[in-house]
């Protein structure tokens, strides 16, 4: 029962898929400390191809975007879709219409950024935008720490291994 409770909504309770607005609203509502003034961003990668024949989606994408705006959450959208989808007949919108809706909803916020999955450097651009937000939120003081660079350990282990191999070769000779 725990398994079914955890993944409720994926076992036939809802006769739809890719309920993008519900997913986005869920992310927006999951932020803690809503009263604090701090930077909040969501990166949404989707084809925005909603299949909802029974209209069970609680938050359509425009309503979810309004929720983000109310909570001052910045949206980064990455759009990518397969033009030859086998379930195209179940969709209310063409891939181009879905793309335009996502772009419009993202950019209406004023702070949101829209990207196509084919755009080169999308990840780097998003990281730069996030860093700008964080730097301004922290007063412009930026500090980078590298803690997972095991150079000293690798060199030490290599020397120990070479010494062991040399000792083994010498003892066998």
């Amino acid at each position: 029962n725990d398994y079914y409770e955890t993944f409720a909504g994926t076992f036939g309770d809802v006769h739809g898929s890719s309920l993008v607005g519900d997913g986005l609203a869920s992310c927006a509502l999951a932020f803690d400390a809503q009263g604090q003034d701090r930077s909040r961003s969501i990166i949404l990668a989707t084809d925005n191809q909603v299949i909802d024949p029974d209209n069970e989606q609680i938050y359509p994408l425009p309503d979810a975007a309004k929720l983000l705006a109310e909570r001052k959450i910045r949206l980064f959208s990455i759009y990518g879709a397969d033009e030859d989808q086998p379930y195209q007949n179940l969709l209310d919108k063409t891939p181009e219409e879905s793309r335009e809706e996502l772009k419009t909803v993202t950019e209406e916020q004023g702070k949101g950024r829209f990207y196509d999955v084919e755009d080169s450097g999308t990840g780097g651009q998003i990281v730069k935008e996030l860093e700008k937000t964080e730097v301004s939120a922290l007063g412009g003081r930026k500090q980078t720490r590298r803690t997972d660079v095991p150079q000293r350990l690798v060199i030490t282990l290599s020397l120990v291994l070479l010494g062991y191999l040399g000792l083994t070769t010498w003892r066998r000779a």
Side-chain angles (χ1 to χ4, degrees):
N1 282 337
D2 290 340
Y3 182 79
Y4 288 103
E5 286 178 22
T6 301
F7 296 103
T10 62
F11 294 107
D13 298 355
V14 177
H15 302 288
S17 68
S18 296
L19 304 179
V20 178
D22 286 352
L24 186 57
S26 175
C27 291
L29 294 170
F31 278 106
D32 63 347
Q34 290 292 332
Q36 290 181 359
D37 184 29
R38 64 182 222 197
S39 173
R40 292 180 174 85
S41 300
I42 293 176
I43 301 172
L44 174 68
T46 181
D47 61 1
N48 195 28
Q49 299 285 293
V50 177
I51 298 175
D52 188 20
D54 299 332
N55 293 321
E56 293 180 340
Q57 183 170 235
I58 298 169
Y59 283 92
L61 185 59
D63 292 348
K66 287 177 188 170
L67 180 64
L68 266 65
E70 289 170 8
R71 293 174 173 255
K72 297 179 183 168
I73 300 171
R74 189 171 188 185
L75 178 62
F76 294 91
S77 296
I78 304 171
Y79 175 81
D82 180 7
E83 300 288 332
D84 301 321
Q85 297 167 355
Y87 51 84
Q88 188 66 41
N89 61 326
L90 300 174
L91 301 170
D92 293 335
K93 298 177 185 156
T94 66
E96 186 57 36
E97 291 170 335
S98 295
R99 179 190 180 282
E100 286 306 312
E101 178 188 39
L102 183 63
K103 183 176 182 178
T104 301
V105 163
T106 301
E107 293 176 346
E108 278 180 351
Q109 284 190 357
K111 296 179 186 177
R113 296 281 187 264
F114 176 83
Y115 302 93
D116 278 306
V117 76
E118 292 92 13
D119 294 345
S120 64
T122 296
Q125 291 173 3
I126 292 173
V127 169
K128 285 179 185 175
E129 290 289 328
L130 289 172
E131 285 177 345
K132 276 195 264 183
T133 305
E134 286 304 309
V135 168
S136 65
L138 297 173
R141 194 170 136 215
K142 182 178 176 183
Q143 184 178 31
T144 303
R145 293 185 183 180
R146 299 182 83 183
T147 59
D148 60 347
V149 183
Q151 292 172 344
R152 190 175 293 161
L153 180 62
V154 170
I155 291 170
T156 303
L157 287 175
S158 297
L159 290 174
V160 169
L161 181 62
L162 285 174
Y164 177 73
L165 290 174
L167 183 63
T168 304
T169 304
W170 174 71
R171 293 292 285 160
R172 287 190 180 199

